[in-house]
Amino acid sequence: MAPTAAAVAQLRAFDEALPEKTSHAADTLRLLDEVGSPATTAMAGPRFFGFVIGGSLPVTLAANWLAGAWDQNTGLYRTTPGTAYLEQIALRWLLDILRLPPQCTGAFVTGATVANMCALAAARQSLLKAAGWNVEAQTFWCAPISVIVGGEVHPTVSKSLGMLGLGRSRVVKVPVDGQVGCGPIKLPAISGPTIVITQAGNVNTGAFDPIGEICQPRPCRGCVGPRGRGFGLWAAAAPTLQHLTVGIAQADSWATDAHKC
């Protein structure tokens, strides 16, 4: 259920000048509840289909409350060993769930955009280093690297490519094959350091690239960067959908967002 127009209009009660003095905690919480609660959308259950936002279970909500009470900044193991250790275990479980090589490493980030940017930054560094190009010392200008994506590449990938200096207009887009998937179907000739980005599950149609075919070893195997990113990696956890993710483990890196999962 969406908030009413009246509830949204009532949010103006929050718009006040920066207070000169502190207020009572109970009054602040009462204001948040009386004004904020009616303006929220009921997205905590399985029947919410707006955008790609998932619900929660009672146990996950309680765990989130507990994490908030712990108030840990989990960037450093030394200061927050408890939560850092839990992250390590959760990442190991993810490798098992998504059927990825057990020697892989990973990290939890804020979303798909940052996940794509981290994977692409690692690919850029690795490929240019192999080509004898020190990106830290020589910058990106004239860097010998190409990028291949599908015609329906997710906006988070395009945004990441732009932020990393890999460009957008010079990226090669392979036409979409509506019968098979939503990304690279037939790769163009590859020469030199190249990043090939596939999509596991178009967010609107669910269509998959033939990732296993694209990730087949080829003569310039060492020149091909991260592939297999998207929301559909979670299909590996479903016995009836695992066939869609065959070959994903051959990619060099992965980025995914749990969303409704």
Side-chain angles (χ1 to χ4, degrees):
M1 180 179 294
T4 64
V8 174
Q10 190 179 358
L11 292 173
R12 289 194 293 268
F14 287 140
D15 191 3
E16 60 181 40
L18 179 66
E20 294 289 340
K21 299 179 181 179
T22 59
S23 58
H24 196 281
D27 293 335
T28 300
L29 292 174
R30 186 180 301 109
L31 176 65
L32 287 171
D33 182 36
E34 293 178 354
V35 177
S37 293
T40 58
T41 300
M43 60 179 67
R47 295 185 62 80
F48 177 75
F49 298 105
F51 298 102
V52 190
I53 303 171
S56 63
L57 298 173
V59 63
T60 60
L61 178 60
N64 187 54
W65 289 345
L66 185 58
W70 284 347
D71 192 24
Q72 299 290 281
N73 187 343
T74 317
L76 298 173
Y77 181 91
R78 184 171 182 179
T79 55
T80 57
T83 51
Y85 194 77
L86 285 173
E87 279 198 357
Q88 293 176 18
I89 296 173
L91 285 168
R92 191 182 76 237
W93 285 0
L94 280 178
L95 294 179
D96 190 20
I97 292 173
L98 302 180
R99 298 173 178 268
L100 298 177
Q103 68 271 22
C104 292
T105 59
F108 292 107
V109 294
T110 55
T113 300
V114 177
N116 283 322
M117 189 169 66
C118 291
L120 288 167
R124 182 193 64 189
Q125 169 75 12
S126 177
L127 292 178
L128 291 179
K129 182 178 180 180
W133 187 279
N134 188 325
V135 69
E136 285 84 4
Q138 298 171 279
T139 74
F140 304 128
W141 299 112
C142 300
I145 193 167
S146 302
V147 180
I148 300 174
V149 300
E152 293 186 15
V153 61
H154 194 268
T156 59
V157 175
S158 300
K159 182 186 295 184
S160 300
L161 290 171
M163 289 190 294
L164 289 169
L166 292 171
R168 294 178 181 173
S169 60
R170 63 189 294 266
V171 171
V172 178
K173 284 192 175 183
V174 179
V176 170
D177 184 339
Q179 296 295 320
V180 180
C182 55
I185 302 303
K186 184 177 181 181
L187 293 180
I190 295 177
S191 61
T194 303
I195 297 176
V196 180
I197 302 173
T198 64
Q199 190 155 264
N202 180 287
V203 68
N204 296 312
T205 67
F208 273 67
D209 291 340
I211 299 175
E213 176 186 333
I214 294 170
C215 289
Q216 285 293 326
R218 52 192 72 241
C220 59
R221 179 73 174 85
C223 299
V224 182
R227 298 148 297 185
R229 59 189 76 258
F231 311 107
L233 290 182
W234 293 88
T240 57
L241 300 174
Q242 287 174 357
H243 65 281
L244 295 172
T245 64
V246 172
I248 278 184
Q250 299 179 56
D252 298 309
S253 65
W254 307 264
T256 188
D257 197 323
H259 274 305
K260 285 186 180 297
C261 298

